[in-house]
Amino acid sequence: MVPSSQAAEKQMPAEPGPDPELKSWRCLVFYLCFYGFMVQLRPGESFITPYLLGPDKNFTREQVTNEITPVLSYSYLAVLVPIFLLTDYLRYTPVLVLQSLSYVSVWLLLWLGRSVLHMQLMELFYSVTMAARIAYSSYIFSLVRPARYQRMAGHSRAATLLGVFTSSVLGQLLVSAGGVSFSTLNFVSLGLLAFSLVLALFLKRPRRSLFFNRDAPVCRGAAPSELGRMNPDAGPGRAPRGAWRDWTLVRMLWELGRNLRSPQLRLWSLWWVFNSAAYYLVVYYVHILWNVVHPTTDSTSVYNGGADAASTLLGAITSFSAGFVKIHWALWAKLVIAGVTALQAMLVFLMYSTSNIWLCYLAFVLFRGAYQFLVPIATFQIASSLSKELCALVFGVNTFLATVLKTIITLIVSDKRGLGLPVHSQFLVYFVYFLVLFGVYLLGAMLVVLQHFQASRRAPPPPELRSPAEEKAMQVLSEQDGGLSSLQPEALPLASQEQNQQPEAKA
């Protein structure tokens, strides 16, 4: 027989010690966010256009507008799909290293390049860095449990925005307060990017990814994937069947086609495609417009970094505030989109028409804030009914279609092989573009609201809504009526009286 003291010791639970997984997760969070912050520290980025147009490089405005900048759209379209596939196939970390190498190449070409061809090559490397951003945004989802997805996404997003804001503020302070030249600012950017390259080399490489590397053991607590539900015969470690319809991408595209029946998914995906295309064109060319509105050789009077910092801060605020908007999106989504698009059209027209650089700065800050307000709403509306695999595919397809549209507009409007319009005329085209989008969304919103009110007229009227005080008063009155009716003799219903009278007549 075991003594009672020993039995009590055996029954006592062990004291909880430090969770090694939690400690590892926190270290991973800190390192990834630190890398995301450092890779955004490029204080010279806001001043690339005045640097190219200034005495350091001495390119003409037509060369920058119609020969150099259009290459960014073309090269981004060319590398987007390969980078997207390589990100998943190589499990993220190699693509992040490639991104850091491309950033270093961009600033080396800015320092050493002398010809238009060199600057076009610089735009090619910059497009690689843009396409590789998906590696950072999706990297964390392959490392942590699904329960921590939202928290990690918030941390990584906050680190990125803080890095962009700090970079813009630092660049503006060095130029305006420190009197640092644009070339020296590019050297500072190159040194910071070299440090971020070293950080990328030590990032942990995950064992699995969303599409190509799914045979590795899944983390504890992971939910069954959409791919597993679409193809239950393909268990862990089992090779997919040879039929073309069982290929991963084909199965996901088929599943995506079924989900496109959702009106909200179609609406927000179309908004993503058409609005993003024009938004990024405005972002690409606004620095050239600022040089036209305020041509100066005095670098201390250029406040591009301040405008970028303010627009980043406002974008973060509007993105955060969008999470508190609670409306019936199925009814009012098109009207909200129409209102924001109308605001964007007016701001683009203000940038086109004004000769005051401060008004131009302000219009751009508000323009970016308006776009960033709708991005989290569109993200939630698209992702709310999809798995993480299909969600990644939808955003990839939307980004690709927006890039195709942006490339077509660039080829027609900006490229010297097309119309080759100056930057002022381009902003007039963008104004008309947003105006047309506003008209389409407003017409769609009016049709939806009209159909809603017609349907509500045909439907039976809803029960009258009362306040809690009115409900309590009605309850008291009903109780009083019940007490009075209990004092009166009960009367039989008419049908019961007739049934009682019939037997008497027969008798």
Side-chain angles (χ1 to χ4, degrees), residues 387-406:
S387 67
K388 62 181 180 181
E389 293 95 346
L390 284 179
C391 185
L393 182 61
V394 167
F395 287 123
V397 171
N398 290 345
T399 302
F400 176 75
L401 293 178
T403 305
V404 171
L405 180 59
K406 179 178 62 177

Side-chain angles (χ1 to χ4, degrees), residues 128-209:
V128 173
T129 68
M130 292 175 57
R133 290 173 187 172
I134 189 175
Y136 176 77
S137 60
S138 57
Y139 173 77
I140 191 58
F141 297 115
S142 61
L143 293 175
V144 298
R145 298 180 182 182
R148 294 182 176 135
Y149 282 175
Q150 184 175 0
R151 186 177 177 184
M152 275 301 303
H155 290 333
S156 59
R157 174 70 173 168
T160 301
L161 291 176
L162 182 61
V164 174
F165 178 77
T166 305
S167 175
S168 301
V169 171
L170 177 62
Q172 190 62 62
L173 289 176
L174 289 175
V175 169
S176 299
V180 176
S181 64
F182 295 147
S183 58
T184 305
L185 199 62
N186 287 328
F187 287 133
V188 175
S189 302
L190 183 60
L192 292 171
L193 290 171
F195 178 67
S196 68
L197 173 60
V198 176
L199 293 177
L201 295 174
F202 293 95
L203 284 171
K204 179 181 177 181
R205 190 177 184 187
R207 293 174 296 177
R208 63 188 178 92
S209 59

Side-chain angles (χ1 to χ4, degrees), residues 321-441:
S321 62
F324 297 93
V325 178
K326 305 295 182 183
I327 63 174
H328 188 196
W329 287 107
L331 178 61
W332 303 109
K334 290 183 180 178
L335 189 61
V336 172
I337 294 175
V340 174
T341 306
L343 176 62
Q344 288 178 306
M346 290 187 293
L347 293 172
V348 171
F349 183 77
L350 178 60
M351 285 186 274
Y352 159 75
S353 59
T354 187
S355 58
N356 188 321
I357 187 60
W358 296 106
L359 280 179
C360 202
Y361 283 149
L362 178 63
F364 176 71
V365 170
L366 296 177
F367 175 82
R368 287 193 67 179
Y371 175 80
Q372 295 297 334
F373 171 75
L374 286 183
V375 166
I377 297 174
T379 302
F380 173 76
Q381 294 294 326
I382 292 174
S384 58
S385 59
L386 300 176
S387 67
K388 62 181 180 181
E389 293 95 346
L390 284 179
C391 185
L393 182 61
V394 167
F395 287 123
V397 171
N398 290 345
T399 302
F400 176 75
L401 293 178
T403 305
V404 171
L405 180 59
K406 179 178 62 177
T407 304
I408 294 174
I409 296 174
T410 300
L411 181 61
I412 296 173
V413 176
S414 306
D415 200 297
K416 68 175 185 179
R417 292 167 292 185
L419 297 177
L421 298 179
V423 67
H424 245 123
S425 302
Q426 290 184 38
F427 271 73
L428 181 60
V429 173
Y430 304 148
F431 162 70
V432 175
Y433 179 93
F434 279 109
L435 201 61
V436 171
L437 287 182
F438 161 70
V440 172
Y441 282 122

